[in-house]
Each structure stands twice: as C-alpha cells, then as structure tokens.
Amino acid sequence: MPEKPAILYRSKDGVAEIRFNRPERLNVLDVESARGFHEAVDRALNEPAVRVIVVAAEGNAFVAGGDLAYFRASADKRSAAFDLIDPIHSALKRLAQSPAITLASLKGAVAGGGMSIALSLDLAIAADNCRFNLAYAAIGASPDCGGSWALPRLIGLRRAMEIALLCETVRSEEALRLGLVNRVVPADDLASETETLARRLAQGAPIAMGRIKSLLRSSWDRSFEAQLDAEGDSFGVCALTEDFSGAVDAFFEKTKPQFHGR
C-alpha cells in the first residue's frame, strides 16, 4: 500500500487548498512535508484561476513545529536544518510576492514552524481550541519560516520578545486580542467558516486585492512619501481595469459588481 502524501492539494472556484497530512504526528514538519508544501505552492501559483490559497491541516492540530526526531538522528544538524527550511522559505517568499491572498486555517497545536508559517500568511482564522507557542527558544533555536519578521509587525516588539523568549502558550482568544489572528470560531465550524471566508475573498477584484496586499506588505520598507507615490501608481493601474469600470457602473446602478480579473 503506497504511503499517503505528506501534503494534500485541491483547487476549485478560485480557491486552492494546501493541507498538511501527517495528523498522527500532529503534522510536524519533516523534509517530505517541506518539499510537498513547496510543490503545492508552485502548483497553486501556476493555476491562473487561483485567487486565494488556504493553508490548513488534517487531524486535530495545524502544525506542531519541526520534526525533532529528524534532527536527533542527523549527524550534520546544520545541513539537516537547511534541507528542511529551504523549501519552506522558498515557498513562503513566493506566496508573499504573489497577488493571491493567503489564508491560514488553524486548530489545535500551532507551534514552532507551524506558528511561523501561520503568521507569515496574509490572514488567519483560528478554531477556539488553538494553542500557539513559538517554541524555538525552548529547544535552543531561533525562529524560521518568517516568524521573527511577522511577529513584531503584528503585535509590536515588546510583546513579540516576550512570546519568542519565554515560549508561553497563547490561546485563541488572547491570540485574537493581540492581533495574531483575524477571527476565532468554534472548532466544529472551522472548515465551513474557512470556506466561507475563502470564497468571499475569491469573489473580490483580484487585481485590486493583489495591489492592496503588495502595498501593505511593502509599506514597512518605504517612507510615507514613497508610499504615497506607490499608492498613486497602483490606483492608476486599477483604474485601467474592466473590474474598476464595472464596479463604478454597478455602484450607480445599485447592483453587485462582478469581478473577472481584467
């Protein structure tokens, strides 16, 4: 019997879903899942119809960190780290640069690299049973998968330091209060609420939404004046689209706009 894939992938109606598929191990990150994640991201980004990419997981947890057994068995732990980290980092870079909106669907344990991946995506919806723990310091390591970049931007430097250094567990409602996630829903409703949000995003104007994503993500690296220039350029691009003209007409006609990505 063939071994089940480490990553599951499907796409429909503009939404691609990438699911970690090692539920019996709480979806800990190993080399196979890292490479599978990279391949799934490539697949999603090569489908022109995909407007939203959901990252989720099978079982009772999202991702409970890296596979420590893998590191324990490795003679060259530094090389082992790069074999695991590099495919995920490559995939996350592509997701950040893509106009597609990325959505983390979280439940149970969200730890280590799993927490970093979740923080690095554009939006996050969490079940009310989530337990967030950055966890790296507890094993004598520093963050990867974008955790050190996203965390202080989401919640501020002081609180980021506390979460990263003390490795204390943050539960769902506190994560929502801090701004680590956008929404918290009952665990039994996570799948349906994720689908509803993803489909709502997929029905939006993809060119405009991609531009919004790019402006917000790049704003940290620009002066106010440079950001104003970027906003003007971006609005100019949107103004030339059929989606913009159609939405303006729909506003005056009091109808719902339909966006086609052109």
Side-chain angles (χ1 to χ4, degrees):
M1 183 176 179
E3 185 178 359
K4 66 181 180 181
I7 300 290
L8 301 177
Y9 179 87
R10 66 180 181 181
S11 66
K12 183 180 179 182
D13 298 332
V15 178
E17 184 181 72
I18 298 170
R19 298 183 73 88
F20 292 98
N21 189 36
R22 289 286 188 265
E24 70 282 358
R25 304 189 63 213
L26 301 181
N27 298 307
V28 294
L29 297 169
D30 55 21
V31 172
E32 185 180 2
S33 62
R35 292 174 179 169
F37 180 70
H38 183 278
E39 291 168 5
V41 167
D42 277 350
R43 185 173 175 182
L45 296 182
N46 284 324
E47 290 189 36
V50 168
R51 300 180 179 183
V52 178
I53 300 173
V54 175
V55 181
E58 292 290 295
N60 297 319
F62 178 65
V63 173
D67 184 359
L68 297 184
Y70 161 74
F71 284 108
R72 189 180 191 189
S74 300
D76 186 344
K77 290 178 173 54
R78 185 175 186 274
S79 293
F82 286 126
D83 287 342
L84 176 58
I85 291 170
D86 285 352
I88 302 176
H89 281 194
S90 177
L92 290 174
K93 289 174 185 177
R94 292 201 64 198
L95 288 176
Q97 295 163 0
S98 166
I101 305 303
T102 56
L103 171 61
S105 180
L106 310 172
K107 56 187 171 182
V110 186
M115 182 171 174
S116 289
I117 290 170
L119 298 179
S120 296
L121 302 181
D122 299 322
L123 298 169
I125 183 170
D128 56 10
N129 65 358
C130 277
R131 303 178 307 281
F132 296 87
N133 196 312
L134 205 59
Y136 294 95
I139 60 166
S142 58
D144 56 8
C145 302
S148 64
W149 185 92
L151 190 61
R153 284 169 168 78
L154 290 172
I155 66 173
L157 180 59
R158 291 263 187 203
R159 195 61 199 266
M161 284 283 189
E162 182 180 7
I163 287 174
L165 295 174
L166 298 182
C167 300
E168 294 176 343
T169 296
V170 177
R171 297 193 176 272
S172 299
E173 291 301 331
E174 178 68 1
L176 178 63
R177 189 187 70 79
L178 289 172
L180 293 173
V181 300
N182 299 94
R183 300 181 181 186
V184 172
V185 300
D188 291 343
D189 297 336
L190 179 65
S192 62
E193 292 288 343
T194 298
E195 182 178 3
T196 297
L197 180 55
R199 296 204 179 282
R200 180 180 174 186
L201 290 165
Q203 291 168 3
I207 295 172
M209 293 176 77
R211 288 277 171 172
I212 291 168
K213 169 178 173 172
S214 178
L215 283 169
L216 292 175
R217 280 188 169 268
S218 60
S219 65
W220 300 96
D221 302 320
R222 293 195 185 108
S223 66
F224 179 65
E225 293 78 10
Q227 188 71 4
L228 289 175
D229 291 341
E231 288 179 349
D233 291 342
S234 185
F235 196 103
V237 170
C238 293
L240 293 174
T241 65
E242 293 179 21
D243 283 347
F244 178 77
S245 294
V248 171
D249 290 341
F251 174 81
F252 286 101
E253 294 165 6
K254 295 182 170 51
T255 59
K256 185 177 180 180
Q258 300 295 316
F259 298 114
H260 305 288
R262 56 181 186 266

